[in-house]
Amino acid sequence: EAQVTQNPRYLITVTGKKLTVTCSQNMNHEYMSWYRQDPGLGLRQIYYSMNVEVTDKGDVPEGYKVSRKEKRNFPLILESPSPNQTSLYFCASSFDLTGGLGYDSPLHFGNGTRLTVT
Amino acid sequence: ELKVEQNPLFLSMQEGKNYTIYCNYSTTSDRLYWYRQDPGKSLESLFVLLSNGAVKQEGRLMASLDTKARLSTLHITAAVHDLSATYFCAVDRNSNYQLIWGAGTKLIIKP
């Protein structure tokens, strides 16, 4: 089954304790991205990766890191989590959208990771 | 700075009625997306709109795009309870999937 898999689904941690949220897709997608969702704010992009060679900041990258060592995986790393990073996080993927294949492809989302930092 | 505004943010309606959700955005873009989210669930793609005048329909939902007015609409025809969800529009800022999202419209459809 074609899907984007995030782990864990739920995570409770304490301030300053490094954590990683994993994201893997099995659709051979070039593009991957991380979002956070907060009530009343919609989704805000944290980082995105056009392909394994290109990764860039989104709108709210502070406090986060990402890695794209291979096409299928795009982990989100919080080196020193703080309570303001308590949120619902989504990983998403799609084809390369720079005018080639998949120009009209939507994003495919994972099931989300609900993170609480105390 | 690109801003995306949805109206209304909350909508309660009766089954069988028609209604429209509006998505306004502040700068030029040639790609707009509509997604659905059920409570506690992920986001599901509904429509991808790529050009001025684009209209797409799926079941009781129809989406349109007017790039000159910077407006997209999601029209619901003869609403049924199963369409209760939160609906988001998202606009591609630079044609490279840097999407700016609306705050979402929570739709409740009562029997």
Side-chain angles (χ1 to χ4, degrees), chain A residues 8-89:
Chain A
R9 289 293 307 278
Y10 301 92
L11 181 56
I12 300 173
T13 190
V14 297
T15 299
K17 185 176 182 180
K18 181 180 178 179
L19 66 90
T20 299
V21 183
T22 63
C23 175
S24 181
Q25 50 92 5
N26 63 1
M27 296 170 279
N28 202 36
H29 284 170
E30 295 285 345
Y31 180 95
M32 298 185 75
S33 182
W34 277 101
Y35 292 90
R36 61 178 289 174
Q37 184 178 25
D38 301 289
L41 296 179
L43 276 76
R44 293 180 291 169
Q45 190 175 48
I46 303 171
Y47 270 94
Y48 67 97
S49 174
M50 300 297 289
N51 54 56
V52 293
E53 297 176 353
V54 180
T55 298
D56 207 349
K57 297 177 180 179
D59 294 309
V60 289
E62 294 77 18
Y64 304 95
K65 288 175 58 178
V66 292
S67 172
R68 189 89 185 272
K69 295 179 181 178
E70 50 189 337
K71 184 185 281 189
R72 64 181 292 125
N73 295 322
F74 192 46
L76 179 69
I77 304 159
L78 285 72
E79 294 272 3
S80 183
S82 62
N84 64 11
Q85 292 177 299
T86 292
S87 187
L88 178 60
Y89 291 85

Side-chain angles (χ1 to χ4, degrees), chain A residues 9 31 35 37 40-43 45 48 50 57-59 88 90 94 97-98 103-107 109-111, chain B residues 30-31 33 35 37 40-45 48 50 56 88 92-93 95-104:
Chain A
R9 289 293 307 278
Y31 180 95
Y35 292 90
Q37 184 178 25
L41 296 179
L43 276 76
Q45 190 175 48
Y48 67 97
M50 300 297 289
K57 297 177 180 179
D59 294 309
L88 178 60
F90 286 101
S94 187
L97 296 172
T98 54
Y103 183 70
D104 61 349
S105 295
L107 282 170
F109 283 84
N111 285 329
Chain B
D30 57 1
R31 271 189 272 183
Y33 303 84
Y35 285 84
Q37 186 179 36
K41 301 292 186 180
S42 186
L43 288 94
E44 173 190 359
S45 175
V48 180
L50 298 178
K56 291 193 175 181
F88 292 92
D92 192 330
R93 177 167 43 190
S95 298
N96 64 354
Y97 242 128
Q98 285 188 282
L99 301 186
I100 304 298
W101 294 75

Side-chain angles (χ1 to χ4, degrees), chain B residues 10-77:
Chain B
F10 179 81
L11 178 57
S12 180
M13 55 193 292
Q14 297 292 127
E15 277 192 325
K17 300 291 187 181
N18 304 331
Y19 210 82
T20 300
I21 300 171
Y22 298 89
C23 176
N24 293 274
Y25 53 99
S26 59
T27 62
T28 301
S29 175
D30 57 1
R31 271 189 272 183
L32 189 141
Y33 303 84
W34 283 98
Y35 285 84
R36 167 184 173 148
Q37 186 179 36
D38 293 305
K41 301 292 186 180
S42 186
L43 288 94
E44 173 190 359
S45 175
L46 295 174
F47 301 108
V48 180
L49 303 171
L50 298 178
S51 61
N52 188 41
V55 178
K56 291 193 175 181
Q57 183 166 4
E58 181 72 31
R60 300 174 187 274
L61 300 178
M62 183 173 71
S64 65
L65 178 61
D66 182 342
T67 58
K68 294 179 181 178
R70 298 174 186 168
L71 171 69
S72 180
T73 61
L74 180 65
H75 187 73
I76 302 153
T77 302

